[in-house]
Amino acid sequence: MTSTSPLTLLPPLADGTGKASGDARLITAAVLAIAVVIVLIAAAKLHPFLSLVLGSAVLGITGGLGVATTIDSFVAGVGATAGTVGLLIALGNMIGALLADSGGADRIVDRVVSRVPGGRLPWAMAGVAALIGLPLFFEIGVVLLIPVVLLVAARTGVPLIKVAIPALAGLSVLHGLVPPHPGPLAAVSALDADLGLTLLFGLILAVPTVIVAGPVFASWVSRYVVAQAPPELVPAGGIAGSGGFPGEEGSHGERTSSAGSSGAGSSGAASSGGASRVTVDAPETHADTEATRGGRAGDPDPGTEGPATSATTRGEAGAYPAAASSGTRGEEGTDPTATSSAPDGEERPGVTGTPLTPGGEGRAEVTGTSAITRRPAFWPAVATILLPVVLMLARAIGELVLDEGDSVRNALEVAGEPLVALLVGVLVAMFTLGFATGMDRTQVSSSVAGALPSISAILLIVAAGGGFKQVLVDAGIGQVIADAARDADLSPLLLGWLVAVGIRVATGSATVATITAAGIVAPLAADQSTAEVSLLVLAIGAGSLFFSHVNDAGFWLVKEYLGLTVGQTLRTWSVMETLISVMGLAGVLGIALLV
């Protein structure tokens, strides 16, 4: 019998020690890179795009990839992400631009809100926000909806928080959980998830999450937090079941507004018999003062006089009408009850100048003679928003119930391909939300083109996040974390949520949290089923919404619009975001038990 020398045990021991040392180095590199990104964003106030680029450099070099390999890896990740996610974000925002510029968003809001009794307004606002939030970025949805929220609260006497929180919840849930918003799309790309199935699960999760974090939470918290909106932010008009464009049902020959009812908290509901139903008329523009924009950099000077034809300004954070040539409603020195002649001769309170036409900051302003003569009808506007969603859902359902090779399934797979579905949505929107409202070809083209400058920053951030993710993968860090999670028997869904929560709280950016967390847990997706990978996307998305606070731009946007103190914003908006995050995780874990 041959004896074995103890020295023969040294090589395996050395290999194990080397592996442990290598794993420790990779973990250290990952922690250091994430810390660099967080410090640069939160402390140095560097743009997230540059922060992710520098963080990727630190990650690759300290992780042992070397400079040249790190650059190649980062560029490959940027290209792959921009070529997939970037196209979808651009197409989705084009639909949102047409919806905003045509007045379709206003039409949907007016139609729903004006037909709902006061007691059900919180539920109506949540539903409207969720519907409008499908194609619109969160900030754009806020800018479109908050003036309506302020006006509804002023005219019905319903507490401002009770109608504002449901609207914000509807927008936030869609932003974090439902494609084609940037965060979920980036996670879908990073984890190679099925977009249609992710969309289906996201919509299923969205319903109970919006209900709990919206109307239910708002009914409770509105008893303890009393908000008084800044009077200058309350539109000097009202909400109508139909707009005031020529030939529209319910249009009025003259619009008037009581100055005394423009302050938050007024209770003069205008319906007959004093019933709490909103029947006042819709303003054609929202206030565009520096206060309403929250002082965001890049917005035009509200005091600058523009051309005779005003334009829809699409700035960094959203879309809203620009000031007319002789002043802006609510602006110092401007009479808030001033009126101007609409194309049909009606008086429009608080607006001086000619009707809105698409155009605006960073986009070619339309100055032709043709103008939007009517808002799109309610159902065509709704159908246009839902068309890409229906196509992608149809594909997901077809793949579940139809056999491979089936002609119907093949057709659904083509029509429901995200790029095809959103492209079809844009083409349909050009007709239903463009030409059908009186826009000419130049105006439609301007509206579509104007959707692109406002998303340039988010596209760069998402692309840089893709590069960061690729460096994580190529350095082997993701695999180390995946192995550790398996050894600890930790649920990938919970791990993805926790990682996203940590980065969200530290940086304040939901998009950065989603992209970074997806890159870290990507290796775990290889062992998951198609349904489980889609749920992992949603778990990360839910974590990216956790506890928005003072390092989040959305926190200050909500605070200023609703006239809240920092403490009130923490007790309302921040708690609402946390509820959404926890409810999202609970829903994901619940669905995981069934699939």
Side-chain angles (χ1 to χ4, degrees):
M1 181 175 180
T2 304
S3 61
T4 302
S5 169
L7 295 178
T8 59
L9 299 176
L10 291 179
L13 183 61
D15 288 346
T17 303
K19 182 179 185 303
S21 175
D23 289 353
R25 175 182 178 178
L26 291 176
I27 294 295
T28 301
V31 172
L32 180 61
I34 293 172
V36 167
V37 173
I38 291 173
V39 169
L40 290 177
I41 293 175
K45 306 303 181 185
L46 195 64
H47 193 277
F49 169 71
L50 293 176
S51 300
L52 285 166
V53 172
L54 295 175
S56 299
V58 171
L59 174 63
I61 294 171
T62 58
L65 285 182
V67 176
T69 305
T70 298
I71 293 174
D72 291 342
S73 178
F74 180 79
V75 170
V78 168
T81 304
T84 54
V85 179
L87 289 174
L88 301 184
I89 293 174
L91 290 172
N93 206 46
M94 287 178 183
I95 298 175
L98 287 165
L99 182 69
D101 293 348
S102 67
D106 291 332
R107 163 69 79 188
I108 293 171
V109 172
D110 294 352
R111 175 72 173 270
V112 174
V113 173
S114 66
R115 300 188 178 189
V116 176
R120 298 179 184 174
L121 279 174
W123 297 86
M125 293 306 302
V128 168
L131 180 60
I132 292 222
L134 279 172
L136 295 179
F137 282 7
F138 174 79
E139 292 86 354
I140 300 175
V142 168
V143 172
L144 286 174
L145 277 182
I146 285 297
V148 176
V149 167
L150 299 178
L151 188 60
V152 167
R155 291 301 180 94
T156 64
V158 177
L160 177 59
I161 292 297
K162 197 170 184 178
V163 290
I165 289 297
L168 293 170
L171 292 172
S172 184
V173 168
L174 271 292
H175 175 74
L177 298 180
V178 180
H181 288 279
L185 274 180
V188 165
S189 175
L191 301 178
D192 196 23
D194 183 278
L195 182 56
L197 197 56
T198 305
L199 176 60
L200 178 61
F201 287 156
L203 291 175
I204 292 173
L205 282 179
V207 175
T209 304
V210 169
I211 289 174
V212 173
V216 174
F217 173 64
S219 297
W220 177 80
V221 77
S222 61
R223 304 173 191 172
Y224 306 100
V225 177
V226 179
Q228 187 88 11
E232 68 273 12
L233 299 189
V234 181
I239 308 299
S242 298
F245 288 83
E248 289 188 356
E249 176 188 355
S251 62
H252 301 276
E254 182 177 350
R255 296 185 176 191
T256 59
S257 167
S258 170
S261 64
S262 61
S266 300
S267 58
S271 59
S272 59
S276 180
R277 185 180 295 273
V278 186
T279 57
V280 290
D281 297 325
E284 300 304 326
T285 65
H286 303 312
D288 188 35
T289 62
E290 186 68 19
T292 64
R293 293 193 302 268
R296 290 184 289 280
D299 290 321
D301 181 0
T304 303
E305 295 189 356
T309 302
S310 45
T312 300
T313 301
R314 189 172 304 280
E316 177 184 4
Y320 31 84
S325 59
S326 59
T328 304
R329 184 188 311 127
E331 190 177 350
E332 182 178 356
T334 304
D335 181 4
T337 61
T339 59
S340 68
S341 297
D344 54 352
E346 65 181 58
E347 298 294 324
R348 296 182 178 172
V351 183
T352 55
T354 54
L356 294 176
T357 55
E361 181 184 312
R363 54 200 290 184
E365 181 176 320
V366 178
T367 57
T369 57
S370 176
I372 300 175
T373 57
R374 58 191 174 276
R375 289 189 294 182
F378 174 76
W379 287 113
V382 171
T384 302
I385 294 174
L386 296 179
L387 178 60
V389 176
V390 170
L391 290 176
M392 287 187 280
L393 285 178
R395 175 187 176 177
I397 295 172
E399 290 175 341
L400 292 174
V401 301
L402 298 176
D403 296 329
E404 281 193 47
D406 185 276
S407 58
V408 175
R409 173 171 173 168
N410 291 339
L412 290 176
E413 286 178 343
V414 173
E417 178 68 27
L419 182 61
V420 174
L422 284 167
L423 179 60
V424 170
V426 171
L427 295 176
V428 171
M430 290 171 65
F431 287 91
T432 59
L433 303 178
F435 300 126
T437 65
M439 289 188 191
D440 57 27
R441 286 177 295 178
T442 301
Q443 290 173 307
V444 171
S445 177
S446 175
S447 182
V448 170
L452 300 179
S454 64
I455 61 171
S456 58
I458 195 71
L459 289 178
L460 288 173
I461 293 171
V462 169
F468 186 82
K469 183 268 300 184
Q470 192 59 47
V471 176
L472 275 170
V473 172
D474 291 346
I477 295 168
Q479 191 59 51
V480 171
I481 294 174
D483 292 341
R486 291 189 194 99
D487 294 341
D489 198 23
L490 183 63
S491 165
L493 301 178
L494 182 58
L495 177 62
W497 185 81
L498 288 172
V499 172
V501 165
I503 298 173
R504 157 69 161 181
V505 172
T507 66
S509 172
T511 302
V512 171
T514 300
I515 294 169
T516 308
I520 290 174
V521 303
L524 293 172
D527 299 332
Q528 308 296 310
S529 67
T530 301
E532 289 170 334
V533 175
S534 292
L535 290 175
L536 181 56
V537 169
L538 297 178
I540 292 171
S544 73
L545 299 176
F546 190 88
F547 195 67
S548 164
H549 60 98
V550 295
N551 62 353
D552 179 15
F555 178 92
W556 299 103
L557 185 68
V558 171
K559 174 188 177 297
E560 295 303 319
Y561 263 124
L562 301 185
L564 302 173
T565 65
V566 170
Q568 288 176 323
T569 312
L570 288 170
R571 293 196 298 272
T572 53
W573 162 256
S574 299
V575 174
M576 181 205 79
E577 288 283 86
T578 304
L579 273 176
I580 292 172
S581 182
V582 174
M583 282 287 299
L585 175 63
V588 164
L589 296 176
I591 294 177
L593 297 175
L594 304 176
V595 297

